[in-house]
Amino acid sequence: MTETMTPEGINRFWLDEIGEAGWYARSDALDETIRQRFLPAWERAADLAPGWARTPEGALAALILTDQFPRNMFRDDPCAFDTDPLARSLAREAIGNGFHLRIAPPGRQFFYLPFEHAEDLADQERAVALFAEFMPGENLRHAELHRDTIAKFGRFPWRNAALKRVPTAAETRVMEAGGYGALVAGKLSLADLE
């Protein structure tokens, strides 16, 4: 089995090669690298990930494969969200087994992000609670912004185009102001939107 099809290969690539500075920076080159190296593993995620998830490191790789990589490989495409239900299921099991506590920050966040990525308020509340207890700081601020967006709209306006959803007037204002980036920068407040 090639390194791109193993938990060790995925963790080494994401944690060591790319690292925290590259995780959330938009890069066409990185997106293409992930597609070239890891698309075959993602296509087999339903078979591979549950077996990997029996150890903390394996669960981490399974979550990166099912929750993080599709967002890069399929940016602005509905396929970016195809393995989200699997990622949430894996995250629930891994957290239930205490695996998240055996992975040091910043890697620990990948156990919580599947809930932050959900368009479901209960999952959003779970993400906020997990970050508040186990990784407070900037990650918690992002979790709260995601939760507040779901509380306001019931969905993420920045996914509407990819999912071919008709935006509301308030969602259009969010996107015209700069989307999630405008919320993070404080250029826009959800409380000001009707």
Side-chain angles (χ1 to χ4, degrees):
M1 187 174 285
T2 66
E3 183 177 81
T4 60
M5 298 287 277
T6 67
E8 297 79 14
I10 288 172
N11 289 343
R12 188 176 306 112
F13 171 78
W14 195 241
L15 300 177
D16 300 332
E17 286 182 46
I18 302 307
E20 199 170 0
W23 292 340
Y24 304 110
R26 185 176 184 132
S27 163
D28 292 340
L30 176 59
D31 292 353
E32 183 58 28
T33 297
I34 294 172
R35 263 190 304 277
Q36 291 295 318
R37 290 174 69 174
F38 300 103
L39 181 60
W42 180 83
E43 289 173 334
R44 294 187 52 208
D47 297 323
L48 294 173
W52 293 356
R54 295 184 186 126
T55 68
E57 293 77 15
L60 175 62
L63 291 166
I64 292 168
L65 178 66
T66 58
D67 186 62
Q68 295 300 300
F69 283 178
R71 284 167 166 71
N72 290 87
M73 290 188 293
F74 307 113
R75 196 177 296 278
D76 301 322
D77 185 282
C79 290
F81 317 111
D82 281 357
T83 51
D84 282 7
L86 175 57
R88 283 191 302 277
S89 175
L90 294 166
R92 281 186 194 95
E93 184 174 342
I95 291 166
N97 290 330
F99 289 170
H100 62 126
L101 299 177
R102 296 185 42 202
I103 301 295
R108 183 179 294 166
Q109 68 189 286
F110 299 111
F111 289 85
Y112 311 148
L113 287 173
F115 304 112
E116 184 176 312
H117 291 152
E119 289 186 323
D120 175 85
L121 191 55
D123 284 331
Q124 289 295 324
E125 293 292 359
R126 184 165 195 188
V128 169
L130 288 163
F131 277 115
E133 184 171 357
F134 301 112
M135 276 190 76
E138 188 63 19
N139 291 102
L140 175 58
R141 180 172 170 259
H142 286 280
E144 291 169 340
L145 280 171
H146 281 77
R147 180 210 46 212
D148 294 348
T149 300
I150 294 300
K152 180 79 172 177
F153 299 113
R155 61 190 189 175
F156 294 121
W158 41 90
R159 289 188 190 172
N160 287 345
L163 296 174
K164 298 184 179 14
R165 300 188 300 211
V166 177
T168 65
E171 289 173 336
T172 299
R173 284 197 297 281
V174 169
M175 296 311 295
E176 287 174 349
Y180 184 68
L183 294 172
V184 172
K187 296 177 183 174
L188 180 70
S189 168
L190 291 170
D192 296 334
L193 295 167
E194 293 302 323

